[in-house]
Amino acid sequence: MIDLYSWNTPNGRKISILLEELALPYRVHPVDIGKGEQHRHTFRAISPNGKIPAIVDNDNGLALMESGAIMIYLADKAGRLLAPHGAGRYRTLQWLMWQMSGFGPMLGQAHHFLHYFPGKSAYGEQRYHAEAERLYGVLNQHLAGRQTVEDDYSIADIALWPWVARFHYHRIDLNAYPHVRDWYLRLAGRPAVQRGYQVPDFSGDIPLPDTDG
């Protein structure tokens, strides 16, 4: 049994979607970041950085923070969605690291300036919208001719998808990135993605792009 400490954010949804895809038993402990529950000492004992998500694996008592580390651990534990060795493993991990180091943090800044606090900084809005467009362009080019980020559906897809699910926060028209759009819609149709998106509770339907025409 995995104890999952999470909230309905892109990083939190990575783990709930992965747990659903792996069919690992888990129970959810909501951590309402809007109320500051991430700062409670009981949570900080599990996640010293005070950020969701975090897990405790009751099979061995291991507590982990940082969504990328959690994803690698769970995939290795289940033996699915990440190759155990070889070039395929590292190609998948490079895109997980790209999400962790660039796609997530930069889009998080876009959330701040474009969605939550618009009108506060024209420079911030221009900078992070331009970077969002660049990053979507990188992903769009990579997905040309592909069904998934790497040869098979993997933790790289699951890591990226919840961030793209906030495309409207980024003022991004997914129709301008057709390979990203088609990939996004394919994953949105997966039952495990649909279930994991609504953890820890229902927060609205999965956003869908406007159709062309």
Side-chain angles (χ1 to χ4, degrees):
M1 175 66 70
I2 303 293
D3 282 310
L4 170 62
Y5 298 81
S6 190
W7 197 239
N8 53 5
T9 70
N11 282 333
R13 286 172 172 144
K14 291 184 210 174
I15 309 306
S16 52
I17 290 170
L18 179 58
L19 285 164
E20 290 288 343
E21 290 282 12
L22 295 174
L24 290 173
Y26 71 102
R27 57 194 166 206
V28 181
H29 304 268
V31 180
D32 189 337
I33 61 176
K35 296 180 180 178
E37 293 178 357
Q38 71 273 27
H39 302 304
R40 291 178 176 174
H41 73 276
T42 51
F43 179 66
R44 293 291 287 266
I46 299 165
S47 177
N49 196 36
K51 301 287 187 179
I52 63 98
I55 65 165
V56 175
D57 185 344
N58 290 283
D59 288 347
N60 54 27
L62 178 66
L64 283 176
M65 64 177 186
E66 290 298 319
S67 60
I70 295 168
M71 296 187 86
I72 295 168
Y73 173 76
L74 292 174
D76 283 345
K77 178 183 177 73
R80 292 181 53 221
L81 300 180
L82 177 63
H85 50 72
R89 180 180 179 90
Y90 298 106
R91 284 195 298 265
T92 297
L93 290 177
Q94 74 176 345
W95 286 101
L96 175 64
M97 296 304 127
W98 182 75
Q99 185 278 304
M100 296 291 297
S101 65
F103 200 69
M106 292 299 101
L107 296 186
Q109 293 299 315
H111 293 176
H112 182 85
F113 287 103
L114 298 170
H115 181 74
Y116 291 114
F117 299 102
K120 298 294 185 181
S121 171
Y123 171 77
E125 291 185 29
Q126 188 279 329
R127 173 182 172 83
Y128 291 109
H129 187 250
E131 182 63 0
E133 291 180 318
R134 188 190 74 81
L135 290 165
Y136 273 87
V138 170
L139 185 58
N140 191 67
Q141 182 175 10
H142 178 69
L143 285 169
R146 294 177 175 270
Q147 295 293 300
T148 53
V149 171
E150 275 305 323
D151 291 341
D152 299 305
Y153 182 59
S154 72
I155 60 172
D157 297 281
I158 296 170
L160 288 159
W161 187 88
W163 286 96
V164 177
R166 288 193 169 175
F167 62 90
H168 51 300
Y169 283 24
H170 315 141
R171 300 183 189 172
I172 290 291
D173 176 7
L174 281 188
N175 292 313
Y177 305 90
H179 307 304
V180 175
R181 178 199 62 206
D182 293 348
W183 164 86
Y184 174 77
L185 291 173
R186 281 193 295 273
L187 268 62
R190 296 178 68 91
V193 171
Q194 295 169 4
R195 293 191 300 269
Y197 184 85
Q198 302 300 351
V199 173
D201 55 16
F202 181 80
S203 57
D205 294 332
I206 292 174
L208 298 177
D210 294 331
T211 56
D212 283 326

